[in-house]
Amino acid sequence: MPPQRVGYALVAGLRAFPSITTRCSLLLGRSQTQLSPIAAPIGLIRAFRLPRIAGPTRITPSLLLASKQWRTRTASTPLTLSRRVSIEAIPRRKSRFVRLFLRTLVFFGFVGLTVTAVVVAFFIYDATTYRSNSEKVDIPVPELALHPRRGGPKNLPIAEYLIDDEDDPERTSQVDKPRLVILGGGWGTVALLKTLRPTDYHVTVVSPEGYFVFTPMLPSATVGTIELRSLVEPLRRIVARVHGHFIKAEAYDVEFSEKLVEIKQVNSRGETEHFYLPYDKLVIGVGSKTNPHGVKGLEHCNFLKTIDDAGMIREKILLNLERACLPTTPDEERRRLLSFVICGGGPTGVEFAAEIYDLLNEDLTRYFPKILRNEVSVHLIQSRGHILNTYDEALSVYAEDRFAREQVDVLTNSRVKEIQEDKILFTQKDKQGNIITKELPMGFCLWSTGVSQADFSKRLAAKLEVQTNKHALETDTHLRVSGTPLGDIYAIGDCSTVQNNVADHLVTFLRGLAWEKGKEPEQLKLSFREWRDVAARIKKRFPQASDHLRRLDKLFHEHDVDQSGQLDFQELSDLVTKIDNKLTSLPATAQRAHQQGVYLGRKFNKIAQCAPGMSLNEMDYGDLDDAVYKAFEYKHLGSLAYVGNAAVFDFGVGGLTFAGGLMAVYLWRSVYFAQSVSLRTRILLAMDWSKRALFGRDFSRY
């Protein structure tokens, strides 16, 4: 049908409905009699706000038939169509600014309601934490726990039962389990307790301190960047995970033959008492103490190994600042009081120097007389050629340049000779190589120059002839203390060092291999295939040697001097001695102690899992550790240090390093935040960093 005929039809239809006709006329600005076949469709579309259809309109026969039927029905049945017609202008949309403002109000309203709900929920939870039950109940306590029997070489009380052995069903079920005694409360102990399965052992932790200290952040606590309580976690809370027991005392000695640990403690009368604690497995993690290096006058220094040390340093720093403000303090004495000296250029010394600088630069001028900032001096004495000498050299140079810009005096190739009450004597080499002695006035001195053996470790090593290391207890690759009954005593952390002895082990192995073949060891020769078998045996026994045994073919050809295609006994000895010399002692770091604790926890879990089968087959002798679990393998995950609003990272893989400003500082914080021992300490750390940003460091003395 042509479009014009469609228009005539619509005009006729519209005139049948006056209300619609009026709406179309108003929209088109015409009278009802002026509606043309062309204007009618347009008015109809505008009246009902219908979308326009592109292209010609096609009227099909079915559409005409439906229209005819509709007209017939409406002729007999009146149809009333009503639509309100308004001549008011269409309201304008709100501006983008108004819409954004309204959405912002809605968002903050939702946030406010959410915060209110959270606060109300917290108070409801807090109300449930209070207890008012004052009823007393009968607590079962073993008789031998209240009155222990005496015995052992020194006829001391033997704590075979503890007073909380029957406090709950979990502890009661562990009374007959193997006794695992852990000495110390450091990184290794915490990692072991977090890995250990709760129901496999009767666990007892003995430590002179009742808390674990997050040692990497101690330098920040000395200047008030973070609070001391943010770095400690009660050991009893950690021990509770395995339903264990905690004794706040100090380990004194070990009786190997009777499996007794001698414990020393101070009673309520101030008297020292000793008693025995029996064990089936003993883990030694007593740590170490600061190495004096034979220097006189260390009583005038402060150390930084415990939370008490951090508190004393903080007190001393604030006391020096207050004394320097007194009107009666002479200029020379003021400069001495504000002279801070750090002996040792390792991570602890460097981070403490950086924290001291941050304190003086960011907070000192805000609350103290400004003359103090001009007279403050920070000195770092290092015996090596660079600070952070265990890091990549590029990072050491970066840290030194950073300190030079911050006016921190770095004295390398210097050795402390003596420490007096008001000055430090140290030696340096001049350009001609002559050693000259210098002195440096000081009001505060931090001694951070490495570690040495603890008294308990010395006492233990003196009883074992094979213990020749003067700095730590020697262990094998399964962390068992050398010279002790196999599988009884282990050592982890700073108090221990893992023996390599690859050469000695190989010589013993080659002698056994020669005897199997009916030859003398000196006549033994190995082909390349046999050398691969020997190397696989070495890797299994000494995992730390794996990096030096990657190119077996290259090593074989290098040491096959006579080009015979075989390695004789002497050539093998030279090869393994070369590898043995490349292996170094593991670093005395929290990272190593943590990995050792996790390793022992997994091994003890495996031993407990295999115990029923071994007992059934009467396997109670031999190298059970090696039978059920692999040797310990240390994986260096990198090192990091804070250097004053900047940080350095040594990833230890392919020489990959990173150093930067505030972004590196946030990354450094993130690493330690993730390594924190509990959710409680993480929340406290975040709050302390926020308080420092908002209110500055805390200068309170109490």
Side-chain angles (χ1 to χ4, degrees):
M1 178 180 290
Q4 189 173 5
R5 295 185 61 184
V6 174
Y8 284 117
L10 289 174
V11 170
L14 288 174
R15 288 176 178 174
F17 301 98
S19 60
I20 301 178
T21 306
T22 305
R23 174 70 170 171
C24 295
S25 302
L26 289 174
L27 291 174
L28 293 174
R30 304 180 183 182
S31 64
Q32 298 184 18
T33 57
Q34 292 178 341
L35 286 176
S36 65
I38 302 302
I42 298 175
L44 185 62
I45 291 173
R46 292 183 181 179
F48 291 96
R49 296 182 180 178
L50 300 175
R52 298 189 181 185
I53 302 175
T57 304
R58 183 177 181 182
I59 305 299
T60 61
S62 59
L63 180 62
L64 291 174
L65 179 60
S67 176
K68 182 178 180 181
Q69 293 175 352
W70 179 80
R71 288 196 303 271
T72 305
R73 186 169 61 251
T74 54
S76 59
T77 305
L79 178 65
T80 302
L81 298 178
S82 61
R83 182 180 180 91
R84 297 183 62 183
V85 178
S86 175
I87 60 175
E88 296 180 359
I90 299 176
R92 298 179 57 185
R93 296 182 61 187
K94 297 182 177 63
S95 67
R96 183 178 301 177
F97 174 78
V98 174
R99 294 199 305 272
L100 178 62
F101 177 73
L102 293 177
R103 290 174 182 175
T104 304
L105 287 181
V106 172
F107 172 76
F108 281 106
F110 177 76
V111 171
L113 290 176
T114 304
V115 172
T116 303
V118 170
V119 172
V120 171
F122 172 78
F123 278 106
I124 294 175
Y125 167 76
D126 181 68
T128 64
T129 60
Y130 296 95
R131 300 289 186 270
S132 59
N133 187 8
S134 59
E135 296 181 2
K136 295 182 180 180
V137 296
D138 293 333
I139 304 296
V141 179
E143 181 67 23
L144 289 177
L146 299 176
H147 307 285
R149 70 177 182 88
R150 288 181 172 268
K154 299 181 181 180
N155 194 30
L156 298 175
I158 302 177
E160 296 175 305
Y161 295 90
L162 302 176
I163 60 175
D164 55 347
D165 269 341
E166 299 181 5
D167 276 4
D168 50 59
E170 290 80 8
R171 285 189 172 91
T172 303
S173 65
Q174 295 175 353
V175 171
D176 297 327
K177 296 294 180 67
R179 295 179 177 273
L180 173 60
V181 177
I182 306 173
L183 306 180
W187 283 91
T189 297
V190 171
L192 172 58
L193 292 173
K194 286 192 169 187
T195 311
L196 202 63
R197 206 159 35 231
T199 58
D200 290 340
Y201 294 91
H202 180 278
V203 181
T204 304
V205 177
V206 180
S207 174
E209 305 294 343
Y211 49 81
F212 163 79
V213 182
F214 193 80
T215 50
M217 298 295 292
L218 279 177
S220 298
T222 59
V223 297
T225 303
I226 57 179
E227 296 296 332
L228 300 178
R229 65 176 178 272
S230 303
L231 302 181
V232 296
E233 182 74 10
L235 279 176
R236 288 189 178 274
R237 182 175 296 174
I238 302 174
V239 174
R241 176 191 171 275
V242 294
H243 310 292
H245 312 269
F246 175 75
I247 298 176
K248 191 175 185 299
E250 181 181 355
Y252 184 78
D253 202 355
V254 178
E255 300 295 340
F256 305 112
S257 59
E258 301 190 32
K259 291 189 175 183
L260 297 174
V261 184
E262 185 177 346
I263 306 298
K264 181 179 68 173
Q265 64 178 357
V266 179
N267 60 21
S268 58
R269 299 182 299 274
E271 301 172 349
T272 301
E273 293 182 341
H274 293 251
F275 65 92
Y276 286 129
L277 187 65
Y279 68 87
D280 294 308
K281 288 187 179 295
L282 176 66
V283 178
I284 302 173
V286 295
S288 58
K289 63 181 183 180
T290 304
N291 193 346
H293 291 287
V295 176
K296 299 179 180 179
L298 291 186
E299 62 272 11
H300 305 300
C301 297
N302 288 85
F303 307 99
L304 189 54
K305 289 186 68 66
T306 66
I307 202 71
D308 293 333
D309 293 338
M312 294 172 60
I313 291 174
R314 182 174 178 179
E315 179 74 14
K316 183 70 176 294
I317 293 174
L318 296 178
L319 182 61
N320 282 10
L321 293 176
E322 295 294 348
R323 287 177 175 174
C325 296
L326 296 176
T328 56
T329 302
D331 292 342
E332 185 177 354
E333 177 66 9
R334 181 183 298 109
R335 284 190 292 269
R336 185 192 70 80
L337 288 171
L338 299 177
S339 175
F340 299 90
V341 181
I342 299 97
C343 300
T348 301
V350 168
E351 290 186 349
F352 178 76
E355 292 285 355
I356 282 287
Y357 171 81
D358 291 343
L359 168 69
L360 304 178
N361 190 55
E362 297 173 2
D363 296 273
L364 184 66
T365 55
R366 296 170 59 185
Y367 306 107
F368 288 86
K370 296 187 178 180
I371 189 176
L372 267 63
R373 181 63 187 89
N374 295 335
E375 296 184 349
V376 164
S377 59
V378 181
H379 311 273
L380 185 61
I381 301 178
Q382 166 70 334
S383 60
R384 304 294 182 89
H386 293 283
I387 59 175
L388 299 176
N389 59 291
T390 58
Y391 290 56
D392 188 270
E393 186 176 353
L395 298 180
S396 300
V397 173
Y398 175 86
E400 291 171 359
D401 294 341
R402 184 86 184 185
F403 280 164
R405 292 195 301 269
E406 295 172 350
Q407 298 180 352
V408 175
D409 185 22
V410 178
L411 304 170
T412 56
N413 296 316
S414 305
R415 292 186 177 274
V416 177
K417 183 178 180 180
E418 183 181 355
I419 300 177
Q420 299 180 4
E421 186 177 1
D422 57 349
K423 61 184 176 181
I424 293 179
L425 303 179
F426 64 98
T427 59
Q428 274 186 331
K429 288 185 178 181
D430 58 11
K431 297 181 179 180
Q432 289 74 28
N434 300 321
I435 298 177
I436 57 176
T437 302
K438 299 181 179 180
E439 66 177 39
L440 186 66
M442 67 90 181
F444 172 86
C445 178
L446 174 69
W447 186 264
S448 177
T449 59
V451 296
S452 63
Q453 217 169 13
D455 294 336
F456 174 80
S457 300
K458 290 181 180 179
R459 206 174 292 115
L460 206 63
K463 302 173 67 173
L464 303 171
E465 295 181 358
V466 298
Q467 293 288 336
T468 57
N469 195 310
K470 301 299 182 182
H471 301 286
L473 293 172
E474 294 180 342
T475 69
D476 62 7
T477 52
H478 283 272
L479 306 185
R480 297 169 297 194
V481 177
S482 302
T484 62
L486 201 62
D488 283 356
I489 303 178
Y490 304 80
I492 57 178
D494 295 355
C495 69
S496 66
T497 182
V498 179
Q499 285 181 324
N500 297 320
N501 294 341
V502 179
D504 294 342
H505 169 71
L506 182 62
V507 170
T508 303
F509 170 72
L510 292 178
R511 291 184 185 278
L513 186 63
W515 290 333
E516 290 177 2
K517 295 185 177 183
K519 298 180 180 180
E520 293 293 330
E522 289 74 12
Q523 299 176 354
L524 180 67
K525 293 185 179 181
L526 296 181
S527 64
F528 179 72
R529 178 178 297 179
E530 293 172 327
W531 158 241
R532 284 193 306 178
D533 295 338
V534 172
R537 185 102 175 240
I538 296 174
K539 290 180 182 179
K540 182 179 179 182
R541 184 67 183 272
F542 302 96
Q544 62 269 29
S546 300
D547 292 339
H548 305 285
L549 292 172
R550 292 180 177 176
R551 294 294 306 275
L552 298 180
D553 54 344
K554 184 178 180 181
L555 291 172
F556 186 88
H557 293 301
E558 284 181 356
H559 291 82
D560 185 12
V561 181
D562 54 3
Q563 301 297 321
S564 62
Q566 292 180 323
L567 295 179
D568 58 27
F569 187 82
Q570 185 60 42
E571 291 171 342
L572 279 171
S573 300
D574 294 340
L575 188 156
V576 180
T577 301
K578 180 180 178 181
I579 295 175
D580 198 9
N581 293 333
K582 290 182 179 180
L583 299 179
T584 58
S585 299
L586 300 180
T589 60
Q591 180 182 161
R592 191 252 290 196
H594 176 81
Q595 292 186 25
Q596 289 178 331
V598 172
Y599 167 81
L600 275 188
R602 292 174 178 171
K603 178 194 286 188
F604 289 164
N605 291 340
K606 190 69 174 179
I607 291 175
Q609 182 181 354
C610 299
M614 292 189 294
S615 176
L616 185 63
N617 293 280
E618 298 182 355
M619 295 177 58
D620 56 353
Y621 59 90
D623 195 348
L624 300 181
D625 290 72
D626 188 55
V628 302
Y629 208 69
K630 60 184 178 180
F632 172 71
E633 181 180 1
Y634 172 71
K635 296 180 181 179
H636 186 61
L637 303 179
S639 304
L640 62 163
Y642 177 74
V643 292
N645 292 334
V648 296
F649 295 81
D650 187 350
F651 297 101
V653 180
L656 183 62
T657 61
F658 172 68
L662 288 179
M663 293 303 298
V665 173
Y666 293 139
L667 179 61
W668 173 79
R669 287 183 178 179
S670 301
V671 171
Y672 283 149
F673 180 84
Q675 290 180 345
S676 192
V677 70
S678 67
L679 177 63
R680 167 187 164 274
T681 54
R682 292 189 184 99
I683 294 176
L684 291 176
L685 280 176
M687 292 174 61
D688 289 340
W689 285 327
S690 301
K691 287 191 299 182
R692 187 215 65 83
L694 295 174
F695 310 111
R697 293 172 176 83
D698 186 10
F699 284 95
S700 304
R701 291 182 57 219
Y702 46 85

